[in-house]
Each structure stands twice: as structure tokens, then as C-alpha cells.
Amino acid sequence: MPRERWVHVKLRSRLVEVDRPLHALARFVPGLATRRPTSLLALRELTDHILRDSNVEGVVFEIPSLHAGWSSVDAVRELIQKLCAGGKKVVAWLPDGGGNRELFLASAATRVLTSPNATLAPLGIAASSSYVKGLLDRFGVQVEVHRRAEFKTAAETAVSETMSEAQREQLGALLDTIDRALVSALASRTKLGPTPEAREAKVRTLFDDALVSARAALDAGLIDGLCYEDGLPQALLEGEGKPPKVVRASRYFSFHRSRFFRPVGPRPYIAIVPVHGAITSGGGGPAVGGPPATQEAVIGAIRMVGRDPRCLGAVLHVNSPGGSAHASDLIHREVELLREKKPVIACFGEVAASGGYYIAAPAHAIIAQPLAITGSIGVVSARLVARDLLEGMGVHTEVVRRAPHADLLANPRPMDADEHAIFEREIDNFYRTFVGIVAKGRNKSDADVEPLARGRVWSGADAHARGLVDKLGGLDVAIDEVRSRITFLPSALRGIIEPRVVWPRPGDAPPIPLAAASTMLGGHAGTLLDRLDPSVAEILSLVSGRDRVLFYATGLPRID
């Protein structure tokens, strides 16, 4: 049993809510384990063990340069605050200095340390987009776009030379939310000034300075001390004496997770079904942000959860910008069917936009982090027109047809007025369906949802204020929400039901009766084809013209 008084948590650059299990053969790949991300689910469990352990005096978080979204960083910050509220000392150590995200996270600790010659970069919040219409024009390429509605700006960078007012408005609202969170977090450092107002003014001054040396940050009160790695144990002592012994979090966690007595029979559990990445029908274009969430795999996991009597409820963890309209609709239907059997809670990670929100709409409740990106209730269709490019390269296309629009999806030519009307009709039909699905799931009227839709993205905090999200929080809040809805068990037994991650795997989908299949394919779903292409590079990859592109994407740049 570890007897050390301090636990050393070394975060990795990437933060994810749940991490895929490591394949058995992966242990033979050098360095693979160290490249894996930090799992927030495991970090929450570690935090609970530390809070219950009276032997642990404090925790030191080693924070590297983070390549994670604001929502994940905010979730770790909440865990640090939880440790502080539980009476544990928390030291944040920034060996390489840090920027907005690293300082945002470290500011929740009792003390913040960094290397003596490190540089801190409190730059403030900004976002940028590159508009490539001029480049496409030079090559003779146009992109025909149909969308609902004005805030659905996914293809804007390909059809415009400047940012639209709608994009500027929604992007500005997101930046305002993150800016308030960052300023509030940094201003919580009491050494910056005597009053909250003075501390916020000091933070704005640091934004003006942009780059700050470690010693200047110490003088300003942004950090509390300087030390190299070998001096870290002594720095934890805050004075003279023998440095405390520190145990690695991996060793501490392994011991406390060990079970010396295991139950003989199967135990009930709460399923966590991850829907991570672009929602696709299985084939299609390149994945966005990692492996896609194929309809076959996700539907298979949901059906398996629905049929397992040991599963008492489910959390649908969504971290997706959306994707195929058809695939999203099929997954949405499976969530509806699961809801009839068991409690289903949707939990949003970094982003749950468009198709990501679509599949979550029928859940009993929706949970999101305040800085998560959500909403984007709208539709956009993009079609590549490469006729001028091809003719400039000496390629001329002749078409013989027996119907007015037989070559609509096969020929890279501009559409005529009738064909534009056809696309407008399809987009309008699906947009109305999307709004209706959200209205049904949120127990609102279509008229109430329409102003919140129009393709606009919201922060989790703003979505909560407008009724698109029920509660703010992370996966732990979602799991507790499921427990509260398992009403046939006394509360004491609900609290000990543990979560289990059920990873979607291709080929796991069990068959369903033909009648159910025909119901799922009815209406608009069977008329819309699939592919997610939120980036210009992916749009340009559709040179064949045979794919109808209907994608849900926020169209948002990276926010730094």
C-alpha cells in the first residue's frame, strides 16, 4: 500500500473523456503507452480515491503543453477545485511554461510553480479562419452551397472572401464565453490584487504584455514559485525540513483499483456509449478529428446495451461535429428505442453539433460542459463545380440523357434554376424535420426551437440558458443523473452501480425485424445520402460529383 503523502499526476498533452482500451499486442510497440491521452474518466476515479484517503496530504499536477479543447481542460480544472474543496493541497507545476489553456488549468491549484527560465504566454482568446475562394477561383473551381439557415457557415470559407456577419456574431459569442472563463480563472489568483476588480484589470494588463518571463510572472503574482524538477519535492514543503515523499499516480491508482474479492456473478452497470468523431454510414470520406463513428458500430453498441439485462441505464457520450444525415437519423431512432426501455442521458464532450445534437435529442436529459460547442441545428449541402478547371486542362464532357436531371450528381457542371430548387426543397424538408425532432426531444414547440436553430452554434453555458441543455457538468454528472432515474432500486444501491464503457465495434449490430427497419427508413431518411466534409480539403476531394454532400459541421476555426 502506498504510504507517500503526495501523489504526482503527470498529465499528457491530449485529454479525452474515455480512452480506447490498449490492444494486447500494443505492449510490444515501444513508446505507445506514453503517447496515449489522459482519460478524464480515470482521472475522476483517481480524484475520488484521493479524497477518501486521509493519508494523502496533497497532489501535484504536472501540466505539459496541452493540445486539448477548452471543455476538457475545464473538466480537469473542476477536479482540481474538487480536491482543494476536499481539503487537499494542490500544486500545479508548469515545467515548460504555458499559454492560455495551461494557465487556465493551473489557476485552480493552491500554488502554481514553473521552471525558472520558462516563458508564460497569457495571450487572451482569438480565433481565425482562412478563406480560399480566391484560390479556388484561380483554378476555375466553384462550390455551390445550399443551407438552412444563416448561421450554418460550414462551407463559408470556400464561397466567400470574408467572414459573414452571422459567423462573426456566433463566433464572437463563443469567444466571449471562453474569455470570461479565462479572465475569471486567472483573476482567482489572489496575489494579483486586493479586489476582484483589481485582479481582472491586472489580467488584462498581462494580456497586453502577451509574453511574460517566469520571474516577471512571479513578481506580478500570476505564479507562486520557481523550481526545476529536482527541486520540486522541496518546493512542496513550503519551508525547511525533509521533503515529502511523492508517489506516482499510476502506482497509487493501480493499488486502490485492485479488488482482492471479486463478485462471483455478473454485476449491474451503467453503460457509457461513446459517439466520437464524424458520424458516417461506414464508408465515405476522410474522418474528421480521428476515427469516425459509423452507424453500424454505434447502433450495434446501443442495441447490445438495450438487450443486456445487467445494464440499468446508459450515457451517450457525444464528441462529434456531426456527419451523415442518414446515419444520424438511424442512430437517433435507436436512441428513441433505448429510451423506452432504460434511462438514457446524453453527455457532450468538446463538441456536439448538428448530427451530434440530432442523435442526443431524444435522451431523457442532456448534460454539457459550459465551454462545450453545441447546437448548430441546421443543414448545409455543398456541391463541387469543376467544369472550368477540367476544360482548362483540356477535358471536355459531353452528356446524353433521357431525363432532365439525370446527370445532376455525375457531371461537374453548374446547376440550373430547376435543380437549385430541387436542392432547396430537400434542404428545407430536412431542416424542418431537424427542428421538429429537437422540439419533440426538448418538449417545446417548433416555433420555440426555430430561433435557437438556424444553424447557430452555442457554448454549453448559453445552450443551457436557452433550454437546449438540461444541466452543466461532465460525465460524472451524467452518470449520477442515470442513477437518479433507476427508481426501482433504493438510493443506497444506486450509488454503487459502476459505469462501464461499451465501445462501438463494426460488425456488432444484431439484426432487427423487417418491420422496424422499414419504419426507420421511412420519411425523409431514405432520401438523403451521406458524407461529412466540413473542411475545404474534403469538399475538394469530391471531384467525381457522384456524391450528394449533406454534412453537419460547425464551420468554426480553432479557438486559442
Side-chain angles (χ1 to χ4, degrees), residues 114-145:
T114 190
S115 300
N117 291 311
T119 299
L120 300 173
L123 301 176
I125 304 301
S128 61
S129 295
S130 297
Y131 288 76
V132 298
K133 181 179 182 298
L135 176 64
L136 297 181
D137 288 345
R138 292 177 61 183
F139 284 96
V141 176
Q142 296 83 42
V143 179
E144 293 178 330
V145 175

PDB file of all heavy atoms in Angstrom, residues 114-145:
ATOM      1  N   THR A 114       6.662  27.035 -11.805  1.00  0.00           N
ATOM      2  CA  THR A 114       7.182  26.819 -13.150  1.00  0.00           C
ATOM      3  C   THR A 114       8.698  26.845 -13.122  1.00  0.00           C
ATOM      4  O   THR A 114       9.307  27.206 -12.111  1.00  0.00           O
ATOM      5  CB  THR A 114       6.641  27.883 -14.125  1.00  0.00           C
ATOM      6  OG1 THR A 114       6.980  27.519 -15.460  1.00  0.00           O
ATOM      7  CG2 THR A 114       7.225  29.248 -13.821  1.00  0.00           C
ATOM      8  N   SER A 115       9.312  26.430 -14.225  1.00  0.00           N
ATOM      9  CA  SER A 115      10.770  26.440 -14.305  1.00  0.00           C
ATOM     10  C   SER A 115      11.284  27.878 -14.328  1.00  0.00           C
ATOM     11  O   SER A 115      10.627  28.775 -14.869  1.00  0.00           O
ATOM     12  CB  SER A 115      11.230  25.708 -15.571  1.00  0.00           C
ATOM     13  OG  SER A 115      10.779  24.367 -15.559  1.00  0.00           O
ATOM     14  N   PRO A 116      12.471  28.114 -13.756  1.00  0.00           N
ATOM     15  CA  PRO A 116      12.972  29.490 -13.622  1.00  0.00           C
ATOM     16  C   PRO A 116      13.103  30.243 -14.934  1.00  0.00           C
ATOM     17  O   PRO A 116      12.912  31.462 -14.968  1.00  0.00           O
ATOM     18  CB  PRO A 116      14.336  29.296 -12.944  1.00  0.00           C
ATOM     19  CG  PRO A 116      14.210  28.016 -12.199  1.00  0.00           C
ATOM     20  CD  PRO A 116      13.334  27.152 -13.036  1.00  0.00           C
ATOM     21  N   ASN A 117      13.433  29.573 -16.024  1.00  0.00           N
ATOM     22  CA  ASN A 117      13.640  30.267 -17.287  1.00  0.00           C
ATOM     23  C   ASN A 117      12.535  30.004 -18.301  1.00  0.00           C
ATOM     24  O   ASN A 117      12.726  30.219 -19.505  1.00  0.00           O
ATOM     25  CB  ASN A 117      14.994  29.874 -17.888  1.00  0.00           C
ATOM     26  CG  ASN A 117      16.153  30.427 -17.067  1.00  0.00           C
ATOM     27  OD1 ASN A 117      16.166  31.602 -16.747  1.00  0.00           O
ATOM     28  ND2 ASN A 117      17.098  29.561 -16.713  1.00  0.00           N
ATOM     29  N   ALA A 118      11.393  29.566 -17.831  1.00  0.00           N
ATOM     30  CA  ALA A 118      10.265  29.316 -18.729  1.00  0.00           C
ATOM     31  C   ALA A 118       9.600  30.639 -19.120  1.00  0.00           C
ATOM     32  O   ALA A 118       9.795  31.672 -18.473  1.00  0.00           O
ATOM     33  CB  ALA A 118       9.249  28.397 -18.061  1.00  0.00           C
ATOM     34  N   THR A 119       8.818  30.585 -20.172  1.00  0.00           N
ATOM     35  CA  THR A 119       8.053  31.750 -20.628  1.00  0.00           C
ATOM     36  C   THR A 119       6.567  31.426 -20.547  1.00  0.00           C
ATOM     37  O   THR A 119       6.131  30.356 -20.984  1.00  0.00           O
ATOM     38  CB  THR A 119       8.417  32.118 -22.072  1.00  0.00           C
ATOM     39  OG1 THR A 119       9.803  32.456 -22.137  1.00  0.00           O
ATOM     40  CG2 THR A 119       7.588  33.301 -22.560  1.00  0.00           C
ATOM     41  N   LEU A 120       5.807  32.345 -19.990  1.00  0.00           N
ATOM     42  CA  LEU A 120       4.356  32.208 -19.923  1.00  0.00           C
ATOM     43  C   LEU A 120       3.723  33.106 -20.981  1.00  0.00           C
ATOM     44  O   LEU A 120       4.226  34.198 -21.258  1.00  0.00           O
ATOM     45  CB  LEU A 120       3.844  32.567 -18.535  1.00  0.00           C
ATOM     46  CG  LEU A 120       4.411  31.700 -17.400  1.00  0.00           C
ATOM     47  CD1 LEU A 120       3.984  32.236 -16.050  1.00  0.00           C
ATOM     48  CD2 LEU A 120       3.964  30.254 -17.562  1.00  0.00           C
ATOM     49  N   ALA A 121       2.629  32.631 -21.563  1.00  0.00           N
ATOM     50  CA  ALA A 121       2.014  33.354 -22.678  1.00  0.00           C
ATOM     51  C   ALA A 121       0.518  33.549 -22.444  1.00  0.00           C
ATOM     52  O   ALA A 121      -0.319  32.894 -23.084  1.00  0.00           O
ATOM     53  CB  ALA A 121       2.252  32.606 -23.987  1.00  0.00           C
ATOM     54  N   PRO A 122       0.153  34.453 -21.528  1.00  0.00           N
ATOM     55  CA  PRO A 122      -1.268  34.794 -21.376  1.00  0.00           C
ATOM     56  C   PRO A 122      -1.698  35.731 -22.505  1.00  0.00           C
ATOM     57  O   PRO A 122      -1.734  36.954 -22.343  1.00  0.00           O
ATOM     58  CB  PRO A 122      -1.315  35.476 -20.006  1.00  0.00           C
ATOM     59  CG  PRO A 122       0.046  36.070 -19.840  1.00  0.00           C
ATOM     60  CD  PRO A 122       1.001  35.174 -20.567  1.00  0.00           C
ATOM     61  N   LEU A 123      -2.051  35.167 -23.637  1.00  0.00           N
ATOM     62  CA  LEU A 123      -2.314  35.957 -24.840  1.00  0.00           C
ATOM     63  C   LEU A 123      -3.750  36.442 -24.946  1.00  0.00           C
ATOM     64  O   LEU A 123      -4.040  37.363 -25.713  1.00  0.00           O
ATOM     65  CB  LEU A 123      -1.970  35.130 -26.087  1.00  0.00           C
ATOM     66  CG  LEU A 123      -0.527  34.633 -26.208  1.00  0.00           C
ATOM     67  CD1 LEU A 123      -0.371  33.759 -27.449  1.00  0.00           C
ATOM     68  CD2 LEU A 123       0.439  35.801 -26.261  1.00  0.00           C
ATOM     69  N   GLY A 124      -4.661  35.832 -24.198  1.00  0.00           N
ATOM     70  CA  GLY A 124      -6.065  36.120 -24.427  1.00  0.00           C
ATOM     71  C   GLY A 124      -6.615  35.252 -25.546  1.00  0.00           C
ATOM     72  O   GLY A 124      -5.899  34.466 -26.169  1.00  0.00           O
ATOM     73  N   ILE A 125      -7.901  35.395 -25.824  1.00  0.00           N
ATOM     74  CA  ILE A 125      -8.608  34.483 -26.720  1.00  0.00           C
ATOM     75  C   ILE A 125      -8.725  35.079 -28.118  1.00  0.00           C
ATOM     76  O   ILE A 125      -9.020  36.265 -28.291  1.00  0.00           O
ATOM     77  CB  ILE A 125     -10.022  34.187 -26.176  1.00  0.00           C
ATOM     78  CG1 ILE A 125      -9.921  33.628 -24.752  1.00  0.00           C
ATOM     79  CG2 ILE A 125     -10.740  33.186 -27.061  1.00  0.00           C
ATOM     80  CD1 ILE A 125      -9.118  32.360 -24.639  1.00  0.00           C
ATOM     81  N   ALA A 126      -8.502  34.242 -29.120  1.00  0.00           N
ATOM     82  CA  ALA A 126      -8.642  34.654 -30.516  1.00  0.00           C
ATOM     83  C   ALA A 126      -9.005  33.443 -31.357  1.00  0.00           C
ATOM     84  O   ALA A 126      -8.830  32.300 -30.943  1.00  0.00           O
ATOM     85  CB  ALA A 126      -7.345  35.290 -31.029  1.00  0.00           C
ATOM     86  N   ALA A 127      -9.529  33.698 -32.546  1.00  0.00           N
ATOM     87  CA  ALA A 127      -9.840  32.632 -33.495  1.00  0.00           C
ATOM     88  C   ALA A 127      -9.627  33.176 -34.903  1.00  0.00           C
ATOM     89  O   ALA A 127      -9.792  34.375 -35.150  1.00  0.00           O
ATOM     90  CB  ALA A 127     -11.287  32.164 -33.329  1.00  0.00           C
ATOM     91  N   SER A 128      -9.264  32.298 -35.810  1.00  0.00           N
ATOM     92  CA  SER A 128      -9.012  32.734 -37.186  1.00  0.00           C
ATOM     93  C   SER A 128      -9.505  31.692 -38.170  1.00  0.00           C
ATOM     94  O   SER A 128      -9.558  30.502 -37.864  1.00  0.00           O
ATOM     95  CB  SER A 128      -7.513  32.993 -37.404  1.00  0.00           C
ATOM     96  OG  SER A 128      -6.779  31.796 -37.193  1.00  0.00           O
ATOM     97  N   SER A 129      -9.882  32.161 -39.357  1.00  0.00           N
ATOM     98  CA  SER A 129     -10.307  31.284 -40.447  1.00  0.00           C
ATOM     99  C   SER A 129      -9.619  31.724 -41.732  1.00  0.00           C
ATOM    100  O   SER A 129      -9.399  32.924 -41.937  1.00  0.00           O
ATOM    101  CB  SER A 129     -11.829  31.351 -40.642  1.00  0.00           C
ATOM    102  OG  SER A 129     -12.513  30.838 -39.529  1.00  0.00           O
ATOM    103  N   SER A 130      -9.298  30.775 -42.579  1.00  0.00           N
ATOM    104  CA  SER A 130      -8.690  31.084 -43.874  1.00  0.00           C
ATOM    105  C   SER A 130      -9.735  30.916 -44.965  1.00  0.00           C
ATOM    106  O   SER A 130     -10.346  29.840 -45.098  1.00  0.00           O
ATOM    107  CB  SER A 130      -7.502  30.156 -44.144  1.00  0.00           C
ATOM    108  OG  SER A 130      -6.487  30.348 -43.182  1.00  0.00           O
ATOM    109  N   TYR A 131      -9.948  31.955 -45.727  1.00  0.00           N
ATOM    110  CA  TYR A 131     -10.951  31.953 -46.795  1.00  0.00           C
ATOM    111  C   TYR A 131     -10.245  31.708 -48.130  1.00  0.00           C
ATOM    112  O   TYR A 131      -9.344  32.458 -48.509  1.00  0.00           O
ATOM    113  CB  TYR A 131     -11.729  33.270 -46.783  1.00  0.00           C
ATOM    114  CG  TYR A 131     -12.662  33.347 -45.596  1.00  0.00           C
ATOM    115  CD1 TYR A 131     -12.172  33.613 -44.319  1.00  0.00           C
ATOM    116  CD2 TYR A 131     -14.016  33.097 -45.737  1.00  0.00           C
ATOM    117  CE1 TYR A 131     -13.014  33.640 -43.225  1.00  0.00           C
ATOM    118  CE2 TYR A 131     -14.868  33.125 -44.649  1.00  0.00           C
ATOM    119  CZ  TYR A 131     -14.370  33.396 -43.391  1.00  0.00           C
ATOM    120  OH  TYR A 131     -15.206  33.412 -42.308  1.00  0.00           O
ATOM    121  N   VAL A 132     -10.672  30.685 -48.847  1.00  0.00           N
ATOM    122  CA  VAL A 132      -9.933  30.206 -50.006  1.00  0.00           C
ATOM    123  C   VAL A 132     -10.682  30.399 -51.321  1.00  0.00           C
ATOM    124  O   VAL A 132     -10.302  29.828 -52.335  1.00  0.00           O
ATOM    125  CB  VAL A 132      -9.575  28.711 -49.825  1.00  0.00           C
ATOM    126  CG1 VAL A 132      -8.681  28.517 -48.627  1.00  0.00           C
ATOM    127  CG2 VAL A 132     -10.842  27.853 -49.701  1.00  0.00           C
ATOM    128  N   LYS A 133     -11.735  31.212 -51.302  1.00  0.00           N
ATOM    129  CA  LYS A 133     -12.492  31.408 -52.542  1.00  0.00           C
ATOM    130  C   LYS A 133     -11.592  31.947 -53.656  1.00  0.00           C
ATOM    131  O   LYS A 133     -11.689  31.523 -54.812  1.00  0.00           O
ATOM    132  CB  LYS A 133     -13.658  32.367 -52.311  1.00  0.00           C
ATOM    133  CG  LYS A 133     -14.509  32.596 -53.560  1.00  0.00           C
ATOM    134  CD  LYS A 133     -15.658  33.535 -53.275  1.00  0.00           C
ATOM    135  CE  LYS A 133     -16.527  33.697 -54.524  1.00  0.00           C
ATOM    136  NZ  LYS A 133     -15.784  34.281 -55.652  1.00  0.00           N
ATOM    137  N   GLY A 134     -10.717  32.915 -53.328  1.00  0.00           N
ATOM    138  CA  GLY A 134      -9.826  33.464 -54.341  1.00  0.00           C
ATOM    139  C   GLY A 134      -8.936  32.402 -54.976  1.00  0.00           C
ATOM    140  O   GLY A 134      -8.709  32.401 -56.187  1.00  0.00           O
ATOM    141  N   LEU A 135      -8.446  31.483 -54.160  1.00  0.00           N
ATOM    142  CA  LEU A 135      -7.609  30.395 -54.674  1.00  0.00           C
ATOM    143  C   LEU A 135      -8.419  29.478 -55.579  1.00  0.00           C
ATOM    144  O   LEU A 135      -7.961  29.084 -56.660  1.00  0.00           O
ATOM    145  CB  LEU A 135      -7.018  29.606 -53.505  1.00  0.00           C
ATOM    146  CG  LEU A 135      -6.190  28.375 -53.869  1.00  0.00           C
ATOM    147  CD1 LEU A 135      -4.950  28.774 -54.648  1.00  0.00           C
ATOM    148  CD2 LEU A 135      -5.822  27.592 -52.614  1.00  0.00           C
ATOM    149  N   LEU A 136      -9.653  29.133 -55.161  1.00  0.00           N
ATOM    150  CA  LEU A 136     -10.494  28.268 -55.985  1.00  0.00           C
ATOM    151  C   LEU A 136     -10.837  28.950 -57.304  1.00  0.00           C
ATOM    152  O   LEU A 136     -10.875  28.296 -58.357  1.00  0.00           O
ATOM    153  CB  LEU A 136     -11.769  27.907 -55.219  1.00  0.00           C
ATOM    154  CG  LEU A 136     -11.590  27.099 -53.932  1.00  0.00           C
ATOM    155  CD1 LEU A 136     -12.945  26.806 -53.296  1.00  0.00           C
ATOM    156  CD2 LEU A 136     -10.827  25.811 -54.177  1.00  0.00           C
ATOM    157  N   ASP A 137     -11.089  30.265 -57.263  1.00  0.00           N
ATOM    158  CA  ASP A 137     -11.403  30.990 -58.494  1.00  0.00           C
ATOM    159  C   ASP A 137     -10.242  30.917 -59.486  1.00  0.00           C
ATOM    160  O   ASP A 137     -10.443  30.801 -60.693  1.00  0.00           O
ATOM    161  CB  ASP A 137     -11.729  32.449 -58.170  1.00  0.00           C
ATOM    162  CG  ASP A 137     -13.079  32.605 -57.476  1.00  0.00           C
ATOM    163  OD1 ASP A 137     -13.863  31.636 -57.506  1.00  0.00           O
ATOM    164  OD2 ASP A 137     -13.332  33.682 -56.896  1.00  0.00           O
ATOM    165  N   ARG A 138      -9.024  30.998 -58.981  1.00  0.00           N
ATOM    166  CA  ARG A 138      -7.865  30.948 -59.864  1.00  0.00           C
ATOM    167  C   ARG A 138      -7.767  29.610 -60.587  1.00  0.00           C
ATOM    168  O   ARG A 138      -7.249  29.524 -61.704  1.00  0.00           O
ATOM    169  CB  ARG A 138      -6.588  31.206 -59.064  1.00  0.00           C
ATOM    170  CG  ARG A 138      -6.467  32.628 -58.537  1.00  0.00           C
ATOM    171  CD  ARG A 138      -5.225  32.806 -57.704  1.00  0.00           C
ATOM    172  NE  ARG A 138      -4.008  32.555 -58.481  1.00  0.00           N
ATOM    173  CZ  ARG A 138      -2.783  32.589 -57.974  1.00  0.00           C
ATOM    174  NH1 ARG A 138      -2.621  32.849 -56.680  1.00  0.00           N
ATOM    175  NH2 ARG A 138      -1.729  32.365 -58.740  1.00  0.00           N
ATOM    176  N   PHE A 139      -8.270  28.554 -59.965  1.00  0.00           N
ATOM    177  CA  PHE A 139      -8.223  27.229 -60.585  1.00  0.00           C
ATOM    178  C   PHE A 139      -9.506  26.904 -61.343  1.00  0.00           C
ATOM    179  O   PHE A 139      -9.643  25.816 -61.908  1.00  0.00           O
ATOM    180  CB  PHE A 139      -7.980  26.158 -59.519  1.00  0.00           C
ATOM    181  CG  PHE A 139      -6.563  26.105 -59.039  1.00  0.00           C
ATOM    182  CD1 PHE A 139      -6.181  26.766 -57.884  1.00  0.00           C
ATOM    183  CD2 PHE A 139      -5.598  25.410 -59.742  1.00  0.00           C
ATOM    184  CE1 PHE A 139      -4.872  26.732 -57.432  1.00  0.00           C
ATOM    185  CE2 PHE A 139      -4.289  25.365 -59.307  1.00  0.00           C
ATOM    186  CZ  PHE A 139      -3.918  26.034 -58.157  1.00  0.00           C
ATOM    187  N   GLY A 140     -10.467  27.829 -61.334  1.00  0.00           N
ATOM    188  CA  GLY A 140     -11.715  27.577 -62.032  1.00  0.00           C
ATOM    189  C   GLY A 140     -12.627  26.607 -61.326  1.00  0.00           C
ATOM    190  O   GLY A 140     -13.334  25.816 -61.953  1.00  0.00           O
ATOM    191  N   VAL A 141     -12.631  26.654 -59.978  1.00  0.00           N
ATOM    192  CA  VAL A 141     -13.458  25.760 -59.174  1.00  0.00           C
ATOM    193  C   VAL A 141     -14.438  26.597 -58.362  1.00  0.00           C
ATOM    194  O   VAL A 141     -14.058  27.591 -57.736  1.00  0.00           O
ATOM    195  CB  VAL A 141     -12.593  24.901 -58.226  1.00  0.00           C
ATOM    196  CG1 VAL A 141     -13.478  24.048 -57.327  1.00  0.00           C
ATOM    197  CG2 VAL A 141     -11.642  24.029 -59.016  1.00  0.00           C
ATOM    198  N   GLN A 142     -15.708  26.196 -58.407  1.00  0.00           N
ATOM    199  CA  GLN A 142     -16.726  26.841 -57.577  1.00  0.00           C
ATOM    200  C   GLN A 142     -17.389  25.788 -56.686  1.00  0.00           C
ATOM    201  O   GLN A 142     -17.376  24.598 -56.999  1.00  0.00           O
ATOM    202  CB  GLN A 142     -17.802  27.519 -58.434  1.00  0.00           C
ATOM    203  CG  GLN A 142     -17.310  28.671 -59.297  1.00  0.00           C
ATOM    204  CD  GLN A 142     -16.711  28.183 -60.602  1.00  0.00           C
ATOM    205  OE1 GLN A 142     -17.260  27.281 -61.230  1.00  0.00           O
ATOM    206  NE2 GLN A 142     -15.581  28.765 -61.001  1.00  0.00           N
ATOM    207  N   VAL A 143     -17.950  26.252 -55.586  1.00  0.00           N
ATOM    208  CA  VAL A 143     -18.694  25.372 -54.681  1.00  0.00           C
ATOM    209  C   VAL A 143     -20.103  25.929 -54.563  1.00  0.00           C
ATOM    210  O   VAL A 143     -20.300  27.069 -54.133  1.00  0.00           O
ATOM    211  CB  VAL A 143     -18.034  25.290 -53.291  1.00  0.00           C
ATOM    212  CG1 VAL A 143     -18.843  24.376 -52.377  1.00  0.00           C
ATOM    213  CG2 VAL A 143     -16.604  24.776 -53.409  1.00  0.00           C
ATOM    214  N   GLU A 144     -21.087  25.142 -54.986  1.00  0.00           N
ATOM    215  CA  GLU A 144     -22.490  25.545 -54.870  1.00  0.00           C
ATOM    216  C   GLU A 144     -23.013  25.061 -53.523  1.00  0.00           C
ATOM    217  O   GLU A 144     -22.927  23.877 -53.195  1.00  0.00           O
ATOM    218  CB  GLU A 144     -23.313  24.940 -55.999  1.00  0.00           C
ATOM    219  CG  GLU A 144     -22.936  25.502 -57.367  1.00  0.00           C
ATOM    220  CD  GLU A 144     -23.732  24.869 -58.488  1.00  0.00           C
ATOM    221  OE1 GLU A 144     -24.126  23.687 -58.339  1.00  0.00           O
ATOM    222  OE2 GLU A 144     -23.952  25.536 -59.496  1.00  0.00           O
ATOM    223  N   VAL A 145     -23.552  25.989 -52.743  1.00  0.00           N
ATOM    224  CA  VAL A 145     -23.950  25.686 -51.375  1.00  0.00           C
ATOM    225  C   VAL A 145     -25.432  25.994 -51.180  1.00  0.00           C
ATOM    226  O   VAL A 145     -25.925  27.036 -51.629  1.00  0.00           O
ATOM    227  CB  VAL A 145     -23.113  26.502 -50.364  1.00  0.00           C
ATOM    228  CG1 VAL A 145     -23.619  26.282 -48.941  1.00  0.00           C
ATOM    229  CG2 VAL A 145     -21.643  26.120 -50.472  1.00  0.00           C
TER     230      VAL A 145
END
